[in-house]
PDB file of all heavy atoms in Angstrom:
ATOM      1  N   ARG X 783     130.076 106.074  88.736  1.00 92.00           N
ATOM      2  CA  ARG X 783     131.167 106.185  87.752  1.00 92.00           C
ATOM      3  C   ARG X 783     130.784 106.827  86.475  1.00 92.00           C
ATOM      4  O   ARG X 783     130.813 106.237  85.393  1.00 92.00           O
ATOM      5  CB  ARG X 783     131.781 104.811  87.419  1.00 92.00           C
ATOM      6  CG  ARG X 783     132.470 104.143  88.750  1.00 92.00           C
ATOM      7  CD  ARG X 783     132.973 102.837  88.308  1.00 92.00           C
ATOM      8  NE  ARG X 783     133.594 102.272  89.575  1.00 92.00           N
ATOM      9  CZ  ARG X 783     133.587 101.017  89.891  1.00 92.00           C
ATOM     10  NH1 ARG X 783     133.023 100.094  89.066  1.00 92.00           N
ATOM     11  NH2 ARG X 783     134.192 100.585  90.926  1.00 92.00           N
ATOM     12  N   PRO X 784     130.239 108.085  86.588  1.00 94.00           N
ATOM     13  CA  PRO X 784     129.729 108.812  85.418  1.00 94.00           C
ATOM     14  C   PRO X 784     131.014 109.225  84.500  1.00 94.00           C
ATOM     15  O   PRO X 784     132.143 109.348  85.069  1.00 94.00           O
ATOM     16  CB  PRO X 784     129.114 110.027  85.915  1.00 94.00           C
ATOM     17  CG  PRO X 784     129.761 110.272  87.247  1.00 94.00           C
ATOM     18  CD  PRO X 784     130.173 108.923  87.737  1.00 94.00           C
ATOM     19  N   ALA X 785     130.721 109.471  83.235  1.00 94.00           N
ATOM     20  CA  ALA X 785     131.796 109.912  82.357  1.00 94.00           C
ATOM     21  C   ALA X 785     132.076 111.394  82.630  1.00 94.00           C
ATOM     22  O   ALA X 785     133.073 111.947  82.278  1.00 94.00           O
ATOM     23  CB  ALA X 785     131.363 109.752  80.973  1.00 94.00           C
ATOM     24  N   MET X 786     131.050 112.089  83.317  1.00 95.00           N
ATOM     25  CA  MET X 786     131.195 113.537  83.442  1.00 95.00           C
ATOM     26  C   MET X 786     130.520 113.932  84.778  1.00 95.00           C
ATOM     27  O   MET X 786     129.549 113.351  85.188  1.00 95.00           O
ATOM     28  CB  MET X 786     130.382 114.174  82.289  1.00 95.00           C
ATOM     29  CG  MET X 786     130.323 115.656  82.276  1.00 95.00           C
ATOM     30  SD  MET X 786     129.865 116.201  80.622  1.00 95.00           S
ATOM     31  CE  MET X 786     128.237 115.712  80.455  1.00 95.00           C
ATOM     32  N   VAL X 787     131.230 114.872  85.433  1.00 96.00           N
ATOM     33  CA  VAL X 787     130.682 115.448  86.618  1.00 96.00           C
ATOM     34  C   VAL X 787     130.384 116.900  86.383  1.00 96.00           C
ATOM     35  O   VAL X 787     131.279 117.649  85.827  1.00 96.00           O
ATOM     36  CB  VAL X 787     131.583 115.287  87.856  1.00 96.00           C
ATOM     37  CG1 VAL X 787     131.153 116.115  89.087  1.00 96.00           C
ATOM     38  CG2 VAL X 787     131.640 113.802  88.197  1.00 96.00           C
ATOM     39  N   ILE X 788     129.172 117.392  86.691  1.00 96.00           N
ATOM     40  CA  ILE X 788     128.905 118.792  86.465  1.00 96.00           C
ATOM     41  C   ILE X 788     128.618 119.360  87.937  1.00 96.00           C
ATOM     42  O   ILE X 788     127.790 118.842  88.688  1.00 96.00           O
ATOM     43  CB  ILE X 788     127.583 118.922  85.662  1.00 96.00           C
ATOM     44  CG1 ILE X 788     127.860 118.397  84.226  1.00 96.00           C
ATOM     45  CG2 ILE X 788     127.141 120.402  85.608  1.00 96.00           C
ATOM     46  CD1 ILE X 788     126.659 118.556  83.324  1.00 96.00           C
ATOM     47  N   ALA X 789     129.332 120.459  88.162  1.00 95.00           N
ATOM     48  CA  ALA X 789     129.150 121.105  89.540  1.00 95.00           C
ATOM     49  C   ALA X 789     128.593 122.478  89.293  1.00 95.00           C
ATOM     50  O   ALA X 789     129.219 123.338  88.581  1.00 95.00           O
ATOM     51  CB  ALA X 789     130.460 121.135  90.243  1.00 95.00           C
ATOM     52  N   ASP X 790     127.441 122.788  89.925  1.00 93.00           N
ATOM     53  CA  ASP X 790     126.811 124.142  89.722  1.00 93.00           C
ATOM     54  C   ASP X 790     127.129 124.996  90.948  1.00 93.00           C
ATOM     55  O   ASP X 790     126.578 124.698  92.019  1.00 93.00           O
ATOM     56  CB  ASP X 790     125.315 123.903  89.557  1.00 93.00           C
ATOM     57  CG  ASP X 790     124.659 125.230  89.068  1.00 93.00           C
ATOM     58  OD1 ASP X 790     125.385 126.212  88.939  1.00 93.00           O
ATOM     59  OD2 ASP X 790     123.401 125.216  89.027  1.00 93.00           O
ATOM     60  N   GLU X 791     128.064 125.910  90.864  1.00 92.00           N
ATOM     61  CA  GLU X 791     128.481 126.722  92.019  1.00 92.00           C
ATOM     62  C   GLU X 791     128.788 125.884  93.284  1.00 92.00           C
ATOM     63  O   GLU X 791     128.237 126.089  94.301  1.00 92.00           O
ATOM     64  CB  GLU X 791     127.310 127.727  92.468  1.00 92.00           C
ATOM     65  CG  GLU X 791     126.896 128.732  91.343  1.00 92.00           C
ATOM     66  CD  GLU X 791     127.940 129.832  91.219  1.00 92.00           C
ATOM     67  OE1 GLU X 791     128.963 129.776  91.880  1.00 92.00           O
ATOM     68  OE2 GLU X 791     127.640 130.727  90.357  1.00 92.00           O
ATOM     69  N   PRO X 792     129.665 124.891  93.133  1.00 93.00           N
ATOM     70  CA  PRO X 792     129.825 123.937  94.245  1.00 93.00           C
ATOM     71  C   PRO X 792     130.493 124.604  95.428  1.00 93.00           C
ATOM     72  O   PRO X 792     130.346 124.104  96.552  1.00 93.00           O
ATOM     73  CB  PRO X 792     130.865 122.983  93.614  1.00 93.00           C
ATOM     74  CG  PRO X 792     131.602 123.716  92.603  1.00 93.00           C
ATOM     75  CD  PRO X 792     130.595 124.601  91.939  1.00 93.00           C
ATOM     76  N   THR X 793     131.023 125.776  95.283  1.00 91.00           N
ATOM     77  CA  THR X 793     131.744 126.404  96.397  1.00 91.00           C
ATOM     78  C   THR X 793     130.944 127.623  96.859  1.00 91.00           C
ATOM     79  O   THR X 793     131.453 128.337  97.794  1.00 91.00           O
ATOM     80  CB  THR X 793     133.103 126.842  96.066  1.00 91.00           C
ATOM     81  OG1 THR X 793     133.071 127.813  94.967  1.00 91.00           O
ATOM     82  CG2 THR X 793     133.956 125.610  95.564  1.00 91.00           C
ATOM     83  N   GLY X 794     129.818 127.900  96.409  1.00 88.00           N
ATOM     84  CA  GLY X 794     129.030 129.051  96.687  1.00 88.00           C
ATOM     85  C   GLY X 794     128.703 129.236  98.194  1.00 88.00           C
ATOM     86  O   GLY X 794     128.715 130.399  98.683  1.00 88.00           O
ATOM     87  N   ASN X 795     128.550 128.105  98.858  1.00 87.00           N
ATOM     88  CA  ASN X 795     128.237 128.200 100.302  1.00 87.00           C
ATOM     89  C   ASN X 795     129.362 127.962 101.216  1.00 87.00           C
ATOM     90  O   ASN X 795     129.140 127.615 102.372  1.00 87.00           O
ATOM     91  CB  ASN X 795     127.015 127.264 100.594  1.00 87.00           C
ATOM     92  CG  ASN X 795     125.731 127.726  99.989  1.00 87.00           C
ATOM     93  OD1 ASN X 795     125.642 128.775  99.531  1.00 87.00           O
ATOM     94  ND2 ASN X 795     124.706 126.872 100.033  1.00 87.00           N
ATOM     95  N   LEU X 796     130.621 127.887 100.662  1.00 90.00           N
ATOM     96  CA  LEU X 796     131.795 127.442 101.378  1.00 90.00           C
ATOM     97  C   LEU X 796     132.754 128.601 101.602  1.00 90.00           C
ATOM     98  O   LEU X 796     132.941 129.471 100.768  1.00 90.00           O
ATOM     99  CB  LEU X 796     132.339 126.265 100.741  1.00 90.00           C
ATOM    100  CG  LEU X 796     131.496 125.106 100.476  1.00 90.00           C
ATOM    101  CD1 LEU X 796     132.293 124.043  99.681  1.00 90.00           C
ATOM    102  CD2 LEU X 796     130.928 124.481 101.687  1.00 90.00           C
ATOM    103  N   ASP X 797     133.556 128.491 102.754  1.00 92.00           N
ATOM    104  CA  ASP X 797     134.623 129.490 102.929  1.00 92.00           C
ATOM    105  C   ASP X 797     135.748 129.129 101.918  1.00 92.00           C
ATOM    106  O   ASP X 797     135.829 128.020 101.380  1.00 92.00           O
ATOM    107  CB  ASP X 797     135.129 129.486 104.307  1.00 92.00           C
ATOM    108  CG  ASP X 797     135.660 128.070 104.744  1.00 92.00           C
ATOM    109  OD1 ASP X 797     136.865 127.901 104.292  1.00 92.00           O
ATOM    110  OD2 ASP X 797     134.981 127.289 105.304  1.00 92.00           O
ATOM    111  N   PRO X 798     136.714 130.083 101.635  1.00 90.00           N
ATOM    112  CA  PRO X 798     137.673 129.911 100.494  1.00 90.00           C
ATOM    113  C   PRO X 798     138.540 128.663 100.774  1.00 90.00           C
ATOM    114  O   PRO X 798     138.848 127.998  99.782  1.00 90.00           O
ATOM    115  CB  PRO X 798     138.627 131.172 100.743  1.00 90.00           C
ATOM    116  CG  PRO X 798     137.616 132.202 101.311  1.00 90.00           C
ATOM    117  CD  PRO X 798     136.714 131.465 102.235  1.00 90.00           C
ATOM    118  N   VAL X 799     138.963 128.387 101.979  1.00 91.00           N
ATOM    119  CA  VAL X 799     139.778 127.125 102.221  1.00 91.00           C
ATOM    120  C   VAL X 799     139.057 125.878 101.847  1.00 91.00           C
ATOM    121  O   VAL X 799     139.544 125.052 101.136  1.00 91.00           O
ATOM    122  CB  VAL X 799     140.312 127.196 103.699  1.00 91.00           C
ATOM    123  CG1 VAL X 799     141.148 125.954 103.883  1.00 91.00           C
ATOM    124  CG2 VAL X 799     141.106 128.460 104.045  1.00 91.00           C
ATOM    125  N   THR X 800     137.810 125.823 102.359  1.00 92.00           N
ATOM    126  CA  THR X 800     136.986 124.618 102.127  1.00 92.00           C
ATOM    127  C   THR X 800     136.698 124.581 100.638  1.00 92.00           C
ATOM    128  O   THR X 800     136.723 123.433 100.030  1.00 92.00           O
ATOM    129  CB  THR X 800     135.677 124.664 102.899  1.00 92.00           C
ATOM    130  OG1 THR X 800     135.995 125.115 104.204  1.00 92.00           O
ATOM    131  CG2 THR X 800     135.054 123.341 102.934  1.00 92.00           C
ATOM    132  N   ALA X 801     136.455 125.733 100.051  1.00 93.00           N
ATOM    133  CA  ALA X 801     136.195 125.727  98.594  1.00 93.00           C
ATOM    134  C   ALA X 801     137.367 125.109  97.761  1.00 93.00           C
ATOM    135  O   ALA X 801     137.112 124.336  96.912  1.00 93.00           O
ATOM    136  CB  ALA X 801     135.842 127.141  98.148  1.00 93.00           C
ATOM    137  N   MET X 802     138.587 125.566  98.206  1.00 92.00           N
ATOM    138  CA  MET X 802     139.722 125.003  97.479  1.00 92.00           C
ATOM    139  C   MET X 802     139.771 123.463  97.654  1.00 92.00           C
ATOM    140  O   MET X 802     140.188 122.776  96.721  1.00 92.00           O
ATOM    141  CB  MET X 802     140.930 125.760  98.046  1.00 92.00           C
ATOM    142  CG  MET X 802     142.191 125.685  97.164  1.00 92.00           C
ATOM    143  SD  MET X 802     141.839 126.387  95.497  1.00 92.00           S
ATOM    144  CE  MET X 802     142.604 125.193  94.485  1.00 92.00           C
TER     145      MET X 802
END
Side-chain angles (χ1 to χ4, degrees):
Chain X
R783 297 182 179 144
M786 176 161 70
V787 168
I788 297 178
D790 189 4
E791 299 282 4
T793 61
N795 289 352
L796 305 175
D797 64 80
V799 178
T800 319
M802 200 59 225

